[in-house]
Amino acid sequence: MPDGNPLIGRVGFGSGTMIAQGYGQVDEDAARGAVEAAYQAGVRFYDTAHFYGSGRSEAIVGEILQGRRDEVRLCTKGGVRYTDPTNLLTLVCDSSYDALRRFMEESLTRLRTDHVDVYLLHQFDPALTPEQQMENLLRLKEEGLARDVGFCNFGAEAARRALATGIPTAVEYSFSLLDHRYLNELAASGERGGLRITYGSYVHGLLSEDFTDDHEFDPDDWRGRSRREGRSGTSGNVFFAGDAFAANLAIARRLRALADPLGLSLAAFVLALTVRQPYSDVALFGCRDAAEVADGLSGLSADLDDETLARAAEILATANRPAENLLGL
């Protein structure tokens, strides 16, 4: 990655895919290599979460970035856990202060630091009001455990009320070339000067992997369950369920055909297009090994002329993007 590339500051390493439950088999050595490769390439923003891999994601990020703490920004998330780590459907929320304090202490231990740069509530806790949840975050900030605090995956009304407290200085939402569901929430935070982090740049693999229409996912891969059962809601299920899967693969093939003459993979081309969008300050990209990191970041050095950008826009204009906020409250 050439020194001084301004786009490198627009991307962040998303560690959910590399180690979290639900994406098939995990290779921890490859995950370590991915974090190291991202650092060597100039990535300085790292996003993880308490419940990714039941803490293994945070532990790996902390291990690889030990001794480099002053050079990077660490973002983690708390407030959710699995009652059964082997079952993704057993997720429960708890954003009480006592619970968040425990989540935070465990996260800091694994990340090998005394504070994080950004701390987010992973999901809305229906047992508390948005205002109460923000007050609990503020206590953590006042204790010096987080520089910025905010939320991830709040519904439209909860986000409005949370932002109105003036406490959140960061938000994180799903956003990609195919996902514009949460532009209002991202815009509202940006208008207040908040840090806008977006995840799902590759749409959970739809815009990076070489799927076929009849692709068979691993038994423990949530994307396969979405294909079979048509689940929808807070995650990326809507892009895999029913007819959406084939339609999105068709978009991916057209983008791949546009990327090929440029010598770029689909993942590299998609990341290059995504970081040029005005909706986020940090666009996360998920990788599971060093080769995927290098491949994705290679697109940031590509010279995308006006004709290429216009042709990509024409392709994406045919996508049937879900636009409404599908989150509760």
Side-chain angles (χ1 to χ4, degrees):
M1 184 63 55
D3 291 339
N5 187 330
L7 293 180
I8 196 70
R10 293 286 310 281
V11 299
F13 185 88
S15 67
T17 305
M18 74 172 189
I19 207 71
Q21 299 98 320
Y23 281 99
Q25 296 299 309
V26 168
D27 184 333
E28 292 199 4
D29 287 336
R32 292 184 180 90
V35 179
E36 177 67 29
Y39 175 82
Q40 294 297 336
V43 176
R44 293 296 181 264
F45 191 98
Y46 293 82
D47 177 271
T48 183
H50 184 280
F51 86 118
Y52 288 167
S54 297
R56 288 304 301 152
S57 171
E58 289 180 325
I60 289 172
V61 169
E63 173 191 341
I64 300 303
L65 297 180
Q66 186 177 24
R68 300 161 171 172
R69 180 68 184 91
D70 293 340
E71 303 174 47
V72 300
R73 298 181 74 188
L74 294 179
C75 171
T76 195
K77 301 178 285 291
V80 296
R81 61 182 175 81
Y82 291 119
T83 56
D84 177 359
T86 67
N87 185 347
L88 298 183
L89 301 182
T90 65
L91 188 72
V92 294
C93 298
D94 188 349
S95 292
S96 65
Y97 170 75
D98 288 344
L100 291 182
R101 196 65 166 74
R102 289 194 300 271
F103 283 128
M104 174 67 88
E105 290 173 354
E106 292 169 3
S107 293
L108 293 179
T109 297
R110 290 192 285 257
L111 289 167
R112 308 186 187 197
T113 185
D114 61 358
H115 75 281
V116 291
D117 299 285
V118 184
Y119 193 72
L120 305 172
L121 298 184
H122 211 142
Q123 289 190 22
F124 179 73
D125 181 353
L128 299 172
T129 68
E131 294 80 6
Q132 289 170 326
Q133 292 176 68
M134 294 306 101
E135 288 293 337
N136 292 338
L137 280 178
L138 181 60
R139 291 180 64 181
L140 298 180
K141 183 176 181 177
E142 291 175 340
E143 292 168 16
L145 302 178
R147 299 294 185 258
D148 287 292
V149 295
F151 56 86
C152 180
N153 302 321
F154 271 32
E157 176 62 12
R160 183 192 66 78
R161 289 172 56 180
L163 290 171
T165 67
I167 295 172
T169 51
V171 301
E172 184 174 319
Y173 277 98
S174 176
F175 169 79
S176 71
L177 301 177
L178 299 181
D179 187 359
H180 287 185
R181 289 174 291 178
Y182 309 109
L183 295 187
N184 290 338
E185 289 71 36
L186 290 167
S189 178
E191 290 168 359
R192 292 168 167 81
L195 176 68
R196 299 166 302 162
I197 308 162
T198 58
Y199 67 88
S201 297
Y202 295 145
V203 197
H204 309 286
L206 277 171
L207 294 185
S208 62
E209 300 182 44
D210 191 16
F211 292 132
T212 60
D213 289 342
D214 59 353
H215 181 84
E216 290 291 333
F217 291 92
D218 287 346
D220 61 345
D221 194 313
W222 67 266
R223 295 170 295 184
R225 188 177 69 245
S226 297
R227 295 285 301 120
R228 295 188 303 271
E229 302 176 20
R231 296 183 182 275
S232 63
T234 62
S235 71
N237 293 299
V238 291
F239 299 100
F240 290 84
D243 296 335
F245 184 66
N248 289 326
L249 288 188
I251 295 290
R253 293 187 189 105
R254 295 180 66 190
L255 290 173
R256 190 187 301 274
L258 190 56
D260 283 345
L262 302 175
L264 298 176
S265 69
L266 175 62
F269 188 51
V270 164
L271 189 59
L273 292 175
T274 302
V275 298
R276 287 170 166 82
Q277 303 299 310
Y279 308 110
S280 68
D281 302 301
V282 177
L284 303 177
F285 71 112
C287 298
R288 306 192 75 170
D289 56 43
E292 289 185 359
V293 171
D295 177 49
L297 293 178
S298 68
L300 303 189
S301 300
D303 182 15
L304 303 185
D305 58 28
D306 291 342
E307 180 182 355
T308 298
L309 295 174
R311 291 178 63 190
E314 290 176 1
I315 293 170
L316 292 167
T318 67
N320 183 20
R321 298 187 185 104
E324 71 278 14
N325 186 317
L326 299 180
L327 303 170
L329 191 59

